[in-house]
Amino acid sequence: MTTLLVRASARTQGLDLDAFCVAAHLHPDLVRRLVTLGLLDAEIDPAGHYTLAMTAVARAGRIERLRRDLGITYTATGVVLDLLDRIDELERLLRARPARGEVHPWT
């Protein structure tokens, strides 16, 4: 397995557009499109330079897998991602909930 290392900006704790594209294996124009569609969050300075969170690399991978494996358009991907995020949150809440009859030590 190969691990890709990219340098994050020390002042923003994010990746510039070039570093993000290398990490996510995406073309810069596609990343800009995903930001425009609201699928990825980016900070854009007045000069037009993008900074994306390192966590956005995983989200970009998820977006590309949905498109490639399921044929979901980028426009529809937002709805699917929202639903997947809701499912993840509900599963997290279920795991944190005590089983019937079980009492958490802090109650």
Side-chain angles (χ1 to χ4, degrees), residues 26-106:
L26 297 176
H27 191 277
D29 290 340
L30 179 56
V31 173
R32 287 185 195 98
R33 182 176 177 202
L34 296 175
V35 170
T36 300
L37 290 170
L39 298 175
L40 292 177
D41 292 327
E43 291 181 22
I44 306 170
D45 68 15
H49 298 109
Y50 286 60
T51 302
L52 294 103
M54 289 179 269
T55 56
V57 174
R59 185 170 175 90
R62 192 175 219 187
I63 291 167
E64 282 302 295
R65 283 189 302 279
L66 287 169
R67 186 196 59 77
R68 181 190 65 233
D69 298 345
L70 300 176
I72 296 174
T73 65
Y74 290 123
T75 306
T77 301
V79 174
V80 174
L81 288 173
D82 287 343
L83 291 172
L84 290 172
D85 289 343
R86 283 182 171 183
I87 290 168
D88 288 343
E89 177 65 13
L90 290 171
E91 287 176 342
R92 186 190 66 74
L93 290 171
L94 279 174
R95 282 191 301 272
R97 192 177 82 178
R100 280 206 158 154
E102 181 181 325
V103 178
H104 276 295
W106 59 82

